[in-house]
Amino acid sequence: PGDGGNPWRFENDYLKKVTLVELEAIFKGNIKIPLINERLQILHELGHKLDVYKGSFANLFRENNFRAFGGSQYAGIIPTLAEQFPLAYEDISFWGYGQVGTPSKIYFRKKAQLLCVLYNNRATTSGGVLQSINDIEKISPIADYQVPRSLVDRGTLEYKPSLMEKIKAGTILPRHSREEIEIRANTVAVVTSLRDKINDLRLTMDPPKTPIHHGHLDAKLWLLGRKSPMPQHLTPTTAY
């Protein structure tokens, strides 16, 4: 509930004009939510640009034929979210500054991918009421704060001692810093390898089992990360 017991509404007309005072009341807790002004800008962007889709993400999903990624006829939900709502859903880092050639783009797009995963989870348990994502298997690993913790706990991801010291000390790793990018990129690489190995084993079972996708794996790893004694890395960002 918002201030005065009024429920927070997700209608785009409300998001267009929600004020900082209202947002602070919505997120009121035992600590002040970080980056509150940036989050306000995100909500204003969502409110205004949802007009294109008649105020509903459902229309955006339908226009992209419930496909996360594009093809000959559809741009895809994830590229569309990143293009239409960049403050909320674009999530790109650049690798290779200071080296010969143009820096490479790394498309993490954590929130856009997670939106598809969470929607698909709801759709697959809706008894056919909701249309599932047609290419959910193309979703890549969700690079956030929690998954690296579960990987470090199990020895599948290892930090060099100097980085581990910074994380344990609560040192801020700036957004787009080499250390922050490496944590996220290596998380993606490790989880991709883990999924592939799990699916190889599932195919050898009698009878063979259906392959899993990253939506299945992310939920498990995220929950394990939340329970981990390993501190999370600290990076001020609204991207994840």
Side-chain angles (χ1 to χ4, degrees):
D3 190 28
N6 295 320
W8 188 32
R9 299 159 296 174
F10 286 93
E11 293 92 345
N12 62 314
D13 285 341
Y14 175 69
L15 296 180
K16 292 176 186 177
K17 60 186 181 181
V18 60
T19 67
L20 181 60
V21 172
E22 289 174 321
L23 197 59
E24 287 175 334
I26 289 166
F27 288 115
K28 186 177 181 180
N30 58 349
I31 61 170
K32 184 176 181 179
I33 188 169
L35 304 175
I36 188 71
N37 288 302
E38 288 83 350
R39 298 180 197 279
L40 182 65
Q41 292 175 24
I42 287 171
L43 295 181
H44 287 165
E45 176 188 72
L46 289 171
H48 285 285
K49 292 195 173 183
L50 272 174
D51 283 342
V52 176
Y53 301 99
K54 299 180 180 179
S56 175
F57 278 109
N59 293 323
L60 185 153
F61 277 47
R62 292 189 191 99
E63 286 188 15
N64 287 285
N65 197 32
F66 291 90
R67 300 189 68 85
F69 297 97
S72 59
Q73 295 179 310
Y74 310 99
I77 296 168
I78 290 172
T80 299
L81 287 171
E83 179 181 348
Q84 296 294 325
F85 309 95
L87 295 180
Y89 292 110
E90 188 57 287
D91 180 10
I92 295 176
S93 290
F94 291 87
W95 184 258
Y97 280 113
Q99 301 178 13
V100 176
T102 303
S104 299
K105 290 183 179 180
I106 303 177
Y107 293 86
F108 290 112
R109 290 179 173 170
K110 180 261 183 178
K111 292 197 296 186
Q113 293 202 112
L114 186 59
L115 177 60
C116 285
V117 167
L118 294 177
Y119 168 81
N120 193 68
N121 290 345
R122 178 66 62 87
T124 55
T125 58
S126 70
V129 175
L130 298 175
Q131 166 70 49
S132 298
I133 300 297
N134 289 318
D135 56 348
I136 192 65
E137 74 283 352
K138 293 183 179 179
I139 295 288
S140 63
I142 311 297
D144 66 358
Y145 292 108
Q146 304 302 341
V147 173
R149 297 169 72 192
S150 63
L151 299 178
V152 171
D153 278 351
R154 286 152 185 82
T156 52
L157 179 65
E158 184 177 354
Y159 295 149
K160 61 183 180 182
S162 59
L163 177 57
M164 181 66 84
E165 288 176 8
K166 288 182 180 180
I167 292 174
K168 288 184 175 180
T171 302
I172 296 294
L173 305 183
R175 179 81 167 113
H176 303 305
S177 65
R178 176 171 181 167
E179 290 168 320
E180 189 248 0
I181 294 171
E182 286 187 347
I183 289 173
R184 300 186 79 195
N186 280 287
T187 294
V188 170
V190 170
V191 175
T192 298
S193 178
L194 183 58
R195 180 209 57 187
D196 292 345
K197 291 181 184 300
I198 290 172
N199 283 337
D200 287 345
L201 288 173
R202 291 175 71 85
L203 291 174
T204 65
M205 295 179 177
D206 187 17
K209 292 193 174 182
T210 304
I212 65 169
H213 55 71
H214 283 300
H216 299 129
L217 197 51
D218 177 71
K220 180 67 174 178
L221 293 173
W222 188 87
L223 289 171
L224 290 172
R226 290 281 290 178
K227 299 175 182 177
S228 171
M230 166 75 189
Q232 67 185 40
H233 71 277
L234 299 180
T235 296
T237 178
T238 59
Y240 60 99

